[in-house]
Amino acid sequence: MQLTVNGKPESIESKDSLNITALLEELKVKDALYVTVELNGEILERENFDNTTVKNGDSLEFLYFMGGGR
Amino acid sequence: MDAQSSFHFETLLIHGGLEPGPAGATTVPIVQSSSFAHATAEDLEDIFRGRKAGQIYTRLNNPTTDSLEKRLALLEGGVAAVATASGMAAISTAVLTILRSGDEILSSSSLFGGTYSLFHDTLANYGILSRFVDPTDLAAFRAAVSPATRLIFVETIGNPKMDVPDIAALAAIAREGGIPLMLDATVSTPYLARGRDLGADLVIHSTSKYINGTGSTIGGAIIDNGTFDWKSPLYPHFELYAKKYRQFAFTARLRKLMHKDLGACPAPMNSFLLTEGIETLALRMDRHCTNALALARFLQTHPKVAWVNYPGLEDSSFHDVATRQFGNRYGGLLTFGLYSQVEAFRLINALKLARNLANIGDAKTLVIHPASTICVDYPLEQRLLLGVSDELVRVSVGLEHEKDIIGDFSQALEAL
């Protein structure tokens, strides 16, 4: 499956369907507890990470609140 | 940071947010640079978009200031902290992040004069009105919540009124109304009580005072406890931030708008001085507290003193709430009355050790006559509302030997 992650192409092998929680693990996204996920330009609520799956061609942004004592 | 959060308060004062410095440096490096270069255009784009961490420009963030912010967030148990150029910059930036024209602040009537001026005069010019209510009258405070109230603001120990509101009870009123509680904890410091434990959503410090501890530096801080639900329909301007940044919604909005726009950032040198000063906060506060109690007891028995206001005195009407709230410690600030302004001036002029100046929280004992100085611009009625009568002298009790402090006041009182 071909995805665009933070503006760069990303290939995920042998996965037909993957939810956001699994994708964060697969891509070893750092500070997964704090990351904000945008799927095709829409912010995803954290409670929907498990029931939202990505498909071929999707574009994702993994964003962080920066600074401020963290 | 998470590994550090199990450390005790005294350990966090020294090690919180401290990364190993260049060449084995054990203090926070002073990164005196206005801006920060990055290897590629893509790198800087990623930082601006929030894809990865990185420094941009010292008005927005700076490595020295970041160390201070991390330490303050750890000490308060907050999710984030923002350091500012002064305590007033912290209050201005924080309240303007929340409030819009037509909104109201329900504020303690017992306030630092600068905060009163900001709320009563400056913000009123922009359509943000404040109601000032005695924070120790819980029924009156609850009754003053209006449909336009969007912020409750209180000081842990009123400066210079020296009243001690029941913060947990005020936090309950804030929760009932679905309104955040912002607590100015400058006088108590996180050592006497953490705002989070008292139920505050946001905590303000003038770090110029006890956090610095030496009278060398002006600074302020805003600590976000991440406890308020900014998805509330009362705050539609927070909707996107709450969705995107969840528990960081307040600090994200503050950093992306008011802190960036007002530009009241600290100089890296000042952030360094504050990280140095804060290391000894616990030791200093213990001495401030014992010295202040000793001076309060001496003044209380002196025939030329009309009254003493210090929550550590057993007959203070705030003794019980202060004991519960601050764990048998009552801070380094007290006020006392003579019998006239003339006597107050004579006393200040006769003091040899205590310095006559407009500050608190220094290692040195400080005095001031608030009615003629920091509150001189207020009409009598407003001044009395702030608890500032003509005969009142404020003392910020320092770290000198208690016998020398008492001796100085003793000789000055004898000279009256």
Side-chain angles (χ1 to χ4, degrees), chain A residues 6-8 33-36 38 43 45-47 61-70, chain B residues 46 49-53 69-70 73 79-81 240 243-248 251-252 255:
Chain A
N6 283 0
K8 297 183 184 74
L33 202 60
Y34 298 119
V35 74
T36 295
E38 277 184 17
I43 300 165
E45 297 281 357
R46 184 151 283 264
E47 51 266 33
E61 290 276 336
F62 298 134
L63 306 173
Y64 298 89
F65 163 65
M66 297 302 176
R70 286 198 48 232
Chain B
D46 283 351
R49 283 185 184 271
R51 290 167 174 166
K52 68 177 190 186
E69 290 168 340
K70 282 188 171 124
V79 298
L240 179 67
K243 195 174 176 188
K244 194 165 182 179
Y245 299 107
R246 298 176 303 282
Q247 71 268 44
F248 305 111
T251 303
R255 280 196 176 274

Side-chain angles (χ1 to χ4, degrees), chain B residues 181-373:
Chain B
L181 172 64
M182 189 181 291
L183 191 63
D184 184 336
T186 298
V187 177
S188 54
T189 80
Y191 181 60
L192 265 57
R194 297 196 316 179
R196 182 190 186 95
D197 298 335
L198 303 176
D201 300 294
L202 302 158
V203 179
I204 297 285
H205 289 289
S206 168
T207 53
S208 326
K209 313 299 188 305
Y210 293 104
I211 285 178
N212 172 248
T214 65
S216 72
T217 308
I218 299 287
I222 305 150
I223 293 91
D224 180 0
N225 287 328
T227 44
F228 187 74
D229 181 8
W230 294 102
K231 283 183 183 163
S232 160
L234 294 178
Y235 303 89
H237 47 306
F238 274 89
E239 188 183 357
L240 179 67
Y241 291 90
K243 195 174 176 188
K244 194 165 182 179
Y245 299 107
R246 298 176 303 282
Q247 71 268 44
F248 305 111
F250 172 82
T251 303
R253 189 169 202 274
L254 180 140
R255 280 196 176 274
K256 284 176 180 288
L257 296 176
M258 278 305 155
H259 189 53
K260 173 172 74 71
D261 297 346
L262 296 179
C265 65
M269 180 70 188
N270 285 357
S271 295
F272 165 76
L273 290 167
L274 290 162
T275 60
E276 291 288 286
I278 201 171
E279 291 187 343
T280 54
L281 178 71
L283 286 170
R284 287 187 284 106
M285 287 311 292
D286 281 339
R287 177 66 72 88
H288 281 300
C289 292
T290 54
N291 280 355
L293 185 59
L295 180 63
R297 289 204 166 124
F298 163 77
L299 293 170
Q300 195 177 31
T301 58
H302 200 285
K304 291 185 178 173
V305 173
W307 52 266
V308 181
N309 201 350
Y310 182 64
L313 293 173
E314 286 77 3
D315 63 356
S316 161
S317 53
F318 305 112
H319 184 70
D320 289 348
V321 65
T323 300
R324 193 171 70 243
Q325 211 154 260
F326 306 132
N328 296 306
R329 296 166 302 201
Y330 307 94
L333 205 61
L334 64 85
T335 57
F336 68 99
L338 296 159
Y339 288 95
S340 66
Q341 176 167 332
V342 172
E343 286 191 355
F345 271 40
R346 276 193 198 144
L347 174 106
I348 289 170
N349 293 343
L351 287 166
K352 292 174 178 163
L353 184 67
R355 306 287 180 88
N356 173 39
L357 59 78
N359 195 16
I360 61 169
D362 196 322
K364 296 172 269 299
T365 294
L366 316 173
V367 292
I368 197 164
H369 180 254
S372 62
T373 56

